[in-house]
Amino acid sequence: MAELIDGKAISAQIKEEVKEKVAALKAEGKEVTLAVIQVGCDPASTVYVGNKKKACAYTGIRSLAYELPEETTEAELLSIIEELNDRKDVNGILVQLPLPKHIDENKVIRSISPLKDVDGFHPQNVGALCIGEKGFVSCTPAGIIELLKRSHVEITGKKCVVVGRSNIVGKPMALLLLRENGTVTIAHSKTVDLREITKQADILIAAVGKPKMIDASYVKEGAVVIDVGIHRMENGKLCGDVDFESVEKICSAITPVPGGVGPMTIAMLMYNCVHSLSLQQ
Ligand code: GUN
């Protein structure tokens, strides 16, 4: 039976560490503030934003909520971001995605000061990650590295396969594994003979966006399997991109869904908010 990598417990540990750091900063008279902007009322976004605000309250980070109507123009949003960029009392700025169709997401991401971009989405932060300079790292892949390290999974020299090439997960994930001295392959929807590639992985990261697609036939015996997906099934239960039942029988360690990668994203956002103070100094 595979070891369960407990994202709930590890994320709680990180939030505890952040809480202590925030309290220590407060004692020095420094407050950590995150501005969270949501445009429109996409129900999933409302849940995510609510969880981010809750995590801020728990860790002692001050959160400023901007709940803007669906009709907000791009210019109005850019003007709010500009104001937040200039405010000395705001350390982090997060614009919840997706944005309504009439707003250019890339333009908005580029308008956030790279020094306050706690999501790590700004091209300057992506570039910094690529060349090994300081900056913010996208929260989900950063959380996966923490899951591996705190579960004592060795990355150095290991064959790592990332399935998925999104800007938010797949690409930064591959760069982070490379930074940890993994031998990294990125596979995606156009990859020929995907199984042949994934079956070589010592560490397999599934970020394909398809429920239960990665079954045991894709996995090498003894591999460590990280499941980034989260999907609601017809029976109301959640599942990931990995077919947990078949894969857990052959892998050495696996993240469950829910309770694996999911809780790590918010924990790493809190970590990035604290980290922002040292970047801004
Ligand atoms: N939408 C889904 N995930 C994320 C995230 O990590 N950050 C932001 N800003 N929006 C998202």
Side-chain angles (χ1 to χ4, degrees), residues 26-72:
K26 255 187 201 152
E28 294 173 28
K30 293 177 191 159
E31 184 152 56
V32 186
T33 300
L34 171 66
V36 182
I37 306 174
Q38 183 182 356
V39 185
C41 46
D42 171 68
S45 290
T46 303
V47 172
Y48 290 138
V49 165
N51 288 339
K52 288 169 188 179
K53 285 189 230 164
K54 253 189 255 170
C56 282
Y58 181 78
T59 52
I61 293 172
R62 181 169 75 120
S63 67
L64 304 178
Y66 291 77
E67 284 146 17
L68 308 176
E70 182 83 22
E71 317 76 68
T72 305

Side-chain angles (χ1 to χ4, degrees), residues 5-252:
I5 298 179
D6 189 345
K8 221 169 143 182
I10 296 173
S11 67
Q13 216 175 59
I14 292 171
K15 279 191 277 186
E16 230 31 70
E17 291 163 15
V18 168
K19 190 175 175 177
E20 280 174 27
K21 182 82 186 152
V22 170
L25 287 165
K26 255 187 201 152
E28 294 173 28
K30 293 177 191 159
E31 184 152 56
V32 186
T33 300
L34 171 66
V36 182
I37 306 174
Q38 183 182 356
V39 185
C41 46
D42 171 68
S45 290
T46 303
V47 172
Y48 290 138
V49 165
N51 288 339
K52 288 169 188 179
K53 285 189 230 164
K54 253 189 255 170
C56 282
Y58 181 78
T59 52
I61 293 172
R62 181 169 75 120
S63 67
L64 304 178
Y66 291 77
E67 284 146 17
L68 308 176
E70 182 83 22
E71 317 76 68
T72 305
T73 65
E74 187 179 281
E76 283 166 339
L77 177 58
L78 292 174
S79 143
I80 291 171
I81 293 170
E82 199 181 326
E83 184 191 310
L84 293 168
N85 281 340
D86 290 340
R87 269 176 69 168
K88 292 260 179 321
D89 68 325
V90 171
N91 309 101
I93 304 171
L94 181 146
V95 179
Q96 187 65 27
L97 304 178
L99 286 167
K101 288 200 171 42
H102 64 275
I103 300 179
D104 180 348
E105 242 166 50
N106 285 330
K107 198 166 168 187
V108 170
I109 289 170
R110 281 170 193 273
S111 77
I112 298 171
S113 160
L115 291 173
K116 297 189 177 185
D117 168 41
V118 284
D119 261 327
F121 294 169
H122 191 286
Q124 186 174 312
N125 282 317
V126 179
L129 171 62
C130 197
I131 60 172
E133 286 189 355
K134 270 200 238 171
F136 290 108
V137 179
S138 178
C139 300
T140 300
I144 291 170
I145 294 293
E146 283 302 309
L147 280 181
L148 293 171
K149 286 190 171 171
R150 292 177 190 234
S151 306
H152 311 290
V153 174
E154 177 77 32
I155 304 172
T156 296
K158 292 295 161 64
K159 288 194 181 111
C160 306
V161 175
V162 180
V163 192
R165 54 173 158 178
S166 70
N167 290 341
I168 291 180
V169 181
K171 285 177 199 157
M173 187 74 253
L175 290 168
L176 282 173
L177 290 163
L178 184 63
R179 188 166 88 178
E180 298 296 332
N181 305 308
T183 301
V184 184
T185 302
I186 308 178
H188 48 78
S189 54
K190 299 283 194 290
T191 297
V192 175
D193 290 333
L194 178 61
R195 277 189 188 82
E196 209 169 280
I197 310 261
T198 56
K199 270 191 107 62
Q200 291 180 26
D202 302 310
I203 299 172
L204 178 60
I205 315 279
V208 283
K210 290 196 181 141
K212 299 192 181 186
M213 181 189 138
I214 304 296
D215 63 22
S217 70
Y218 288 84
V219 180
K220 178 169 84 172
E221 201 169 331
V224 173
V225 180
I226 305 291
D227 191 350
V228 183
I230 185 153
H231 314 275
R232 178 87 53 193
M233 293 184 287
E234 276 177 7
N235 64 9
K237 286 195 178 154
L238 294 171
C239 76
D241 291 347
V242 175
D243 178 35
F244 186 89
E245 287 73 25
S246 72
V247 171
E248 73 156 344
K249 294 191 179 89
I250 63 160
C251 67
S252 64

